[in-house]
Amino acid sequence: MLLSPGLVYISMINLFSTQLICQRHIALGFLLIVIVIEAVSSAARADDRRAEFIQLSVMPYLPPQQLETVFAPIANEFSKVLNGTVALRSSATFEAFHAAAMTGVFSLVYTHPFDFVELRDTLGYNAIAGGGDKLTGVIVTEPGSKLTLIEQLRGTTLALPPERSAVSRLILAHLSANGIDPLVDIKIQYFRSHHSCMHAVIIQGADACGTAHAPLRLFEAKMKRTLLEIAQTQSIPPSLFAAHPSISQAQVRALGRAITGWENSPEGKKLLESLGLERFVPVSNEDYDAVRGLISGRTNHSTNEPAK
């Protein structure tokens, strides 16, 4: 049967339209493939760029803005030593810092002895240099306060930096050693940083504060006032810079020489002054073995949520 010219014309149009639709679908498919490949390539390039950065993470013992002011120049110095880009990172809380550090994501950390021992035992981090000779907790109050002896802290409110901080652990152990039960004899109030802990004493939000010498010096310089020291804890190895095993031993030694040499140059002395320290000293992984006994004997004295 012969088709009429009109039907033949319509059939040809339909066939041409179908071919166009198929071609469009094929082109669209190729376009989607190109987009996916480009997205994957972009993600890979982003990962490569991230890999080029060496992350230095610092425990949040200072207010965020002050921490950045202090440690950004240090990250720049490390970049020069390692001939790469060292990016500064921190966390809002000691708990968040500890959790992130324990994943091994940070190439370099500045942390306290208790966290270092965990990082060393779990992930193989290596000590680089310690901030000063020893870390000692101190209890301070306002000059003219009726508190002059640790025994007089019974019935008072003691402000402390975050519970995971080394100083809080030292202070709590010191109270117990002196017959003061932190759960019964005294009210413990945790604050988000050493600075806010000491500020609570000034505004009479607490009777005393537990801190350490370096943050105390920074606070007194900033506030232009002096606090009265009424007690000291036992001393342990200092807070320190430490390196993930991905940082070579040669790089660890180079960083150690640079950090311990800060006291010998004007630029280095500025870095130390910003940290409230006089010097950094060489430390070994074995120097921190003494801290393990304190970790195993630690007691949870948490009685309050962190204050702002």
Side-chain angles (χ1 to χ4, degrees):
M1 181 178 66
L2 295 176
L3 296 174
S4 68
L7 290 175
V8 171
Y9 178 74
I10 292 172
S11 298
M12 291 177 67
I13 290 176
N14 289 338
L15 178 60
F16 181 70
S17 299
T18 301
Q19 289 175 337
L20 284 178
I21 291 171
C22 291
Q23 289 173 355
R24 287 174 182 171
H25 284 175
I26 293 171
L28 180 59
F30 278 121
L31 179 60
L32 290 174
I33 291 172
V34 170
I35 291 173
V36 170
I37 292 174
E38 178 60 27
V40 172
S41 298
S42 297
R45 288 195 297 270
D47 288 340
D48 289 342
R49 285 194 297 270
R50 281 195 294 269
E52 293 172 2
F53 286 86
I54 298 170
Q55 294 194 64
L56 165 63
S57 188
V58 179
M59 60 180 173
Y61 73 108
L62 297 173
Q65 186 174 358
Q66 186 179 4
L67 188 144
E68 182 177 0
T69 299
V70 171
F71 282 91
I74 292 174
N76 289 335
E77 288 299 311
F78 286 0
S79 296
K80 297 174 186 176
V81 174
L82 298 177
N83 194 28
T85 301
V86 176
L88 178 62
R89 299 284 185 269
S90 190
S91 304
T93 65
F94 272 79
E95 290 76 14
F97 168 80
H98 175 264
M102 291 301 291
T103 67
V105 69
F106 304 129
S107 302
L108 301 169
V109 294
Y110 183 70
T111 190
H112 61 70
F114 295 98
D115 273 0
F116 169 70
V117 167
E118 290 188 62
L119 290 170
R120 172 64 186 167
D121 292 348
T122 305
L123 299 172
Y125 275 72
N126 292 302
I128 302 175
D133 296 320
K134 294 289 183 179
L135 174 62
T136 305
V138 294
I139 299 176
V140 297
T141 188
E142 280 271 60
S145 168
K146 63 180 181 180
L147 301 176
T148 57
L149 300 171
I150 189 171
E151 293 82 3
Q152 297 171 328
L153 287 173
R154 286 186 176 85
T156 66
T157 297
L158 177 65
L160 289 177
E163 188 176 2
R164 279 205 64 89
S165 68
V167 164
S168 287
R169 302 182 194 192
L170 290 173
I171 295 291
L172 293 173
H174 190 65
L175 291 173
S176 297
N178 282 272
I180 299 175
D181 187 338
L183 294 176
V184 177
D185 300 325
I186 192 171
K187 180 181 179 182
I188 302 294
Q189 181 68 60
Y190 293 101
F191 286 77
R192 298 194 184 278
S193 69
H194 288 258
H195 180 100
S196 56
C197 168
M198 288 179 274
H199 188 258
V201 174
I202 290 179
I203 64 173
Q204 299 181 348
D207 299 294
C209 164
T211 185
H213 287 118
L216 175 60
R217 283 191 287 268
L218 291 175
F219 181 82
E220 291 179 331
K222 182 176 182 179
M223 302 301 292
K224 295 181 171 55
R225 61 193 302 163
T226 302
L227 296 178
L228 175 66
E229 184 179 314
I230 63 173
Q232 283 193 9
T233 71
Q234 72 178 97
S235 297
I236 60 175
S239 296
L240 73 160
F241 286 107
H244 187 272
S246 60
I247 301 297
S248 70
Q249 286 298 313
Q251 290 174 312
V252 169
R253 289 192 294 270
L255 285 169
R257 287 193 298 269
I259 296 167
T260 56
W262 285 346
E263 62 178 310
N264 300 319
S265 70
E267 296 79 8
K269 287 179 179 179
K270 288 181 182 179
L271 296 177
L272 291 171
E273 182 179 357
S274 70
L275 287 160
L277 296 170
E278 295 181 356
R279 62 185 173 277
F280 273 81
V281 298
V283 291
S284 68
N285 298 324
E286 292 71 28
D287 289 336
Y288 290 82
D289 288 344
V291 179
R292 289 183 173 81
L294 295 174
I295 292 176
S296 62
R298 188 173 73 228
T299 303
N300 187 350
H301 298 285
S302 179
T303 59
N304 296 282
E305 291 298 319
K308 295 182 178 178

